Structures are given as C-alpha cells and as structure tokens.
Amino acid sequence: VINHKYISNSDLRKVLHLNDFYILPSAFEGTPISLIEAMKAGVVCIVNNIHGGIQELIDDNNSQRFKIIENRAKDYAETISNLLNNPTIYYKTQKLAKEQIDKKFDFKNNLKKFTNILIEAIKIKNNRNPNHLAGSRLDKLFIPNFVVIFIRRLLWKITNR
C-alpha cells in the first residue's frame, strides 16, 4: 500500500496503471472522480456499498460488482485475495470497468444527448406559453447564441481531431 500525498495530472495515469486495485472505503461520496479515473485506467475497484454515484459506476449486473457491505476490512481482504487467486475474473473485471466508463463518459455520445436535451427543453418551453402574442419572435424555437456557439465549437473540435 502506497499513500501518495499529491500526484500531478500528467503523472496520474502512469501511477494508476501501476496499481492492481483501487480501494474506496468512503462513508460518504457523491460521484467520485477518483473512481472514474481508476476505472478508466482499467484498475479493479473495490468500494464501500454506499448511496450516491458509486451505485451508478459500479454495476451489479456484471462481474465487476465489488461493493463491500458495512465497510468491513475483512471483506476487502477476502475480495482482494479471491481476485488474486482468480486471474480470469481479475482481468475480466479490469476490461469491463474500462469499457463501462468509456461508454458512460464518451464525449461525442454525451454531447449528442446534451444537445437533444437542450432542444427538447426549448421545444417544451415554447409550446407551453398560452399567453403569447401572435406573430411574436418569442413564439419561435430559440436557442441562445452562446449555446449555439458552444455546441458548434465542440462539434468542430470533435470532427477535426
């Protein structure tokens, strides 16, 4: 076990690849960025089974379900031991974790979803205004310029990589 006090962003990926496991025994978490980074690096993650973003990141529907109930140290040790004694499960877990994060945090896919949500929200807003003036510009679908510019720049960056 190595406790790194500070790791620069440029060194983070290198350090993560050196690890066999990422242990997150937190009692309270939102959506831990450190867990996302570890999964993205293909590190097998073992976490405390708490409410929050961890439930969305560590999926119970496949073999990467390493959530420790009641945060017992003995259960962490047993899980690590079982994984080290079953390399097939260990490597499958690494692969599934990375695939899940790559799919969930795919920039192009999420940008499309975000754009569709914005457009749908604007359509709903414009269709709910019964007190509008006939012929007003406010009756038409409107996306603020800063949103249009933001989306165009992101799409340009994606297509010109």
Side-chain angles (χ1 to χ4, degrees), residues 13-75:
R13 198 169 270 176
K14 296 174 200 168
V15 172
L16 283 172
H17 284 292
L18 298 174
N19 292 285
D20 295 318
F21 298 99
Y22 175 81
I23 312 296
L24 187 64
S26 296
F28 305 99
E29 283 288 344
T31 301
I33 301 299
S34 60
L35 179 59
I36 295 169
E37 291 169 335
M39 292 174 75
K40 179 80 174 163
V43 178
V44 174
C45 299
I46 304 170
V47 301
N48 184 17
N49 190 18
I50 57 175
H51 294 291
I54 287 175
Q55 299 299 326
E56 294 177 32
L57 297 172
I58 305 293
D59 188 0
D60 283 332
N61 296 325
N62 59 45
S63 68
Q64 60 140 0
R65 57 177 183 260
F66 300 113
K67 297 179 192 172
I68 304 301
I69 297 170
E70 296 180 15
N71 218 14
R72 293 184 293 241
K74 176 184 160 208
D75 293 342

Side-chain angles (χ1 to χ4, degrees), residues 65-96:
R65 57 177 183 260
F66 300 113
K67 297 179 192 172
I68 304 301
I69 297 170
E70 296 180 15
N71 218 14
R72 293 184 293 241
K74 176 184 160 208
D75 293 342
Y76 283 99
E78 284 179 10
T79 301
I80 291 169
S81 178
N82 289 338
L83 286 165
L84 291 174
N85 291 323
N86 295 296
T88 304
I89 294 172
Y90 176 84
Y91 292 116
K92 183 179 178 185
T93 300
Q94 276 186 318
K95 183 180 177 214
L96 287 171

